[in-house]
Amino acid sequence: MGTPKPLPREKDGLWLTKDNKLIMMHGNMTVTTYKITNYFLYKAQQENRLDNLSVDAKTIVADCNIKNTNYSKVLFEECKKVAITQISMMDDAGNWRIRQIIPSMTYENGILTAYINPQMAPYIQGLTKNFTKADMLIANKCDTYSAFKMYEICNSWIRTGYAFYSIDEWRELLGGTSYDSFSGLKQRVITPAIDVVNRCTDIEITPEFIKTGRKTTHMKVFIKKKPCLLAAVETAEVNEPVVTVDEEEVSAAKNESAFSLIEIDTIRAMVKDFRQKKKDAEAYVKNYGVEYCKEQMEYVRQEDKRQKLKRIGGYFRKAMEGDYAGSKQIDIEAARAEEREHREIQEWNREAASMNNLIENSGSMTEDELVKNILQEHPEVASLYQALGITDKKIARWIEKYSEVLLLKLGIKMQGKSGITAEYIEANLNINEKK
């Protein structure tokens, strides 16, 4: 096979260009797995192909800053993870895709060879907007996955000057899903990642934690280039900017600053979950207020669960204009309550008629016949207690005195217990009836 040519270095760096959606991907990866994956994406860009991408193992270990003397073993274990790792990416409309980046890798005579999934091509080739270019040699100084992701994400927002996401979004992006509490996430993931980025990379970041009420719900990270590196950035070629962000995204970010955090979240939810145009969602918040919008959102969400709305966007607009949550919901709840009450009355009437019939005919019945009829009217209760070894006469008396639901619940609770007697059950019946 021979030794592959070393990768060309631009301005003393290895500059990888990626679509921002690929930067925002979620995947169960280690930092070494991520570095190796990025390295082969760069290789694909340089050679303008996706298959048979080869690199010397010692070179990739050095460039990826893999600090382990037994690098061949480390590469074997990490490359196995690369080949089975699946990532998920979500677009602006909330649609998501799950893919493998590198489904196949081989190692032979000190040479690593990889094959990149052809479906990844749009995210690394022919990019004209919404992409970020960064030096892998700088990024690879980050020695944890959370720090590496923090650097990539912040670097992609450097033109805007800040990255702003909810705490739940940061948790997913930084690989901190094992930390449910904010304090654990901050202590174990966020703070160490920020420390590594500030200490090892070419950017400086400062977090601002934002509360909604008493709970921390968002984090805004302010980003700037380190002063000693500004000159190098300014002299970069015009057609190869360090960071490229779509102008529409910058405009949207500026526009969002006119709204509070709760309003921004509400607008995003209307766009994502209820298929509203962003400008319409912003108008709803301005004209109706957040609480009114949230009420309509919850009402439409429940109606969608109940009747599977075919056109949820149009239904939501009607709900906003007609105050469905305020007017229709009251009528609907009243109708549902009336229907429940009607069903309960019917059930009680059926049980009362059945028992009255037994009582009326009991004069002409023997005690055994009466017991038999009562048990036939309540087969589930009868069979349950008969299985516990209770006499039919005792069961019949319980049915006359207690509700069928109580008897079933208590009987199920007693099943499988040893030493159960009729007296023990009757004592529990009295306790439950008092409750």
Side-chain angles (χ1 to χ4, degrees):
M1 181 183 294
T3 303
K5 295 179 181 179
L7 293 171
R9 296 172 181 266
E10 303 178 44
K11 304 183 187 301
D12 298 320
L14 299 177
W15 296 86
L16 170 64
T17 305
K18 293 201 295 187
D19 189 295
N20 289 336
K21 291 186 182 67
L22 190 55
I23 291 174
M24 302 301 291
M25 68 85 184
H26 300 159
N28 185 21
M29 307 173 82
T30 67
V31 65
T32 304
T33 305
Y34 200 24
K35 289 177 180 179
I36 293 171
T37 300
N38 273 353
Y39 204 86
F40 278 107
L41 290 178
Y42 174 75
K43 185 78 173 175
Q45 285 182 350
Q46 293 299 312
E47 298 185 9
N48 197 27
R49 58 195 177 97
L50 302 174
D51 61 341
N52 203 31
L53 301 166
S54 298
V55 63
D56 179 77
K58 290 184 179 180
T59 301
I60 199 170
V61 166
D63 286 345
C64 289
N65 196 28
I66 300 174
K67 297 174 181 178
N68 195 303
T69 53
N70 191 6
Y71 71 86
S72 60
K73 182 179 179 181
V74 172
L75 280 180
F76 175 66
E77 294 299 327
E78 295 297 334
C79 289
K80 279 199 301 183
K81 295 175 187 176
V82 171
I84 64 172
T85 296
Q86 291 184 323
I87 63 164
S88 61
M89 292 186 293
M90 186 177 291
D91 62 22
D92 296 334
N95 305 311
W96 51 266
R97 296 180 177 85
I98 297 176
R99 295 193 176 105
Q100 282 178 285
I101 299 180
I102 302 177
S104 174
M105 297 189 76
T106 61
Y107 177 79
E108 185 178 352
N109 298 325
I111 305 300
L112 271 176
T113 304
Y115 298 81
I116 294 177
N117 184 347
Q119 291 182 322
M120 300 307 301
Y123 301 100
I124 59 172
Q125 295 178 346
L127 301 173
T128 58
K129 64 176 184 177
N130 296 328
F131 65 85
T132 299
K133 185 173 183 178
D135 184 0
M136 285 195 302
L137 295 182
I138 293 176
N140 287 344
K141 293 178 182 178
C142 297
D143 54 5
T144 66
Y145 179 80
S146 56
F148 200 109
K149 286 294 290 185
M150 179 70 81
Y151 174 75
E152 276 203 331
I153 293 163
C154 291
N155 197 41
S156 70
W157 283 102
I158 200 164
R159 282 284 182 89
T160 305
Y162 65 87
F164 176 81
Y165 297 101
S166 70
I167 295 300
D168 288 339
E169 288 172 318
W170 281 114
R171 182 182 284 108
E172 289 283 343
L173 292 169
L174 301 179
T177 52
S178 60
Y179 298 98
D180 294 329
S181 68
F182 168 70
S183 59
L185 181 72
K186 180 183 177 183
Q187 182 181 357
R188 301 290 184 181
V189 178
I190 295 174
T191 300
I194 290 172
D195 178 61
V196 171
V197 170
N198 285 337
R199 182 163 36 87
C200 302
T201 73
D202 58 342
I203 62 174
E204 201 171 286
I205 58 178
T206 307
E208 178 185 338
F209 300 104
I210 300 159
K211 290 188 175 182
T212 303
R214 299 177 65 181
K215 183 180 179 182
T216 302
T217 56
H218 294 76
M219 181 173 75
K220 189 174 185 179
V221 180
F222 295 95
I223 314 150
K224 62 180 180 180
K225 279 284 181 182
K226 289 181 179 177
C228 60
L229 296 166
L230 286 176
V233 173
E234 289 170 357
T235 57
E237 295 180 19
V238 176
N239 62 341
E240 292 183 345
V242 174
V243 178
T244 302
V245 179
D246 187 6
E247 292 302 322
E248 292 180 3
E249 290 184 0
V250 176
S251 175
K254 289 179 180 177
N255 190 37
E256 280 191 346
S257 64
F259 295 93
S260 68
L261 295 177
I262 296 176
E263 289 173 335
I264 291 171
D265 281 347
T266 304
I267 291 166
R268 288 178 177 175
M270 282 190 276
V271 172
K272 179 180 176 182
D273 299 336
F274 301 97
R275 300 175 189 170
Q276 301 301 298
K277 293 180 180 178
K278 192 168 185 289
K279 64 178 182 179
D280 292 338
E282 290 173 350
Y284 287 147
V285 167
K286 286 181 180 178
N287 296 332
Y288 294 102
V290 169
E291 290 306 317
Y292 179 90
C293 293
K294 284 187 172 181
E295 287 173 3
Q296 306 307 325
M297 287 160 63
E298 182 58 26
Y299 170 79
V300 174
R301 191 177 285 114
Q302 295 301 325
E303 285 300 293
D304 186 42
K305 288 182 181 178
R306 189 175 68 85
Q307 56 176 308
K308 299 295 181 187
L309 300 173
K310 292 182 179 178
R311 297 178 180 173
I312 194 169
Y315 190 88
F316 180 78
R317 285 191 290 274
K318 291 179 180 178
M320 290 293 298
E321 295 165 3
D323 188 15
Y324 282 12
S327 56
K328 286 198 172 186
Q329 187 64 19
I330 293 172
D331 296 338
I332 290 171
E333 289 301 326
R336 289 174 180 169
E338 186 177 348
E339 184 182 352
R340 284 194 299 270
E341 185 179 1
H342 179 67
R343 285 199 303 268
E344 289 174 1
I345 292 172
Q346 284 184 321
E347 185 63 29
W348 279 106
N349 286 341
R350 280 195 295 269
E351 289 190 6
S354 173
M355 193 56 70
N356 286 337
N357 183 54
L358 282 173
I359 293 170
E360 287 174 5
N361 297 325
S362 62
S364 59
M365 292 182 187
T366 65
E367 184 179 0
D368 289 342
E369 288 174 333
L370 184 59
V371 168
K372 185 178 179 181
N373 275 273
I374 291 174
L375 298 181
Q376 285 176 345
E377 287 291 327
H378 302 272
E380 291 83 8
V381 175
S383 62
L384 181 61
Y385 281 91
Q386 285 164 350
L388 292 172
I390 311 301
T391 64
D392 288 351
K393 289 183 180 180
K394 181 69 77 172
I395 297 168
R397 291 194 188 98
W398 288 349
I399 291 172
E400 284 186 281
K401 186 175 180 180
Y402 303 102
S403 74
E404 184 176 27
V405 173
L406 175 60
L407 288 166
L408 279 170
K409 284 183 177 179
L410 188 62
I412 291 169
K413 184 179 178 182
M414 297 297 176
Q415 274 185 324
K417 291 188 176 182
S418 60
I420 296 300
T421 63
E423 290 72 21
Y424 180 81
I425 295 174
E426 196 154 26
N428 276 272
L429 282 168
N430 289 327
I431 292 170
N432 280 276
E433 186 182 36
K434 289 175 185 176
K435 287 181 181 179

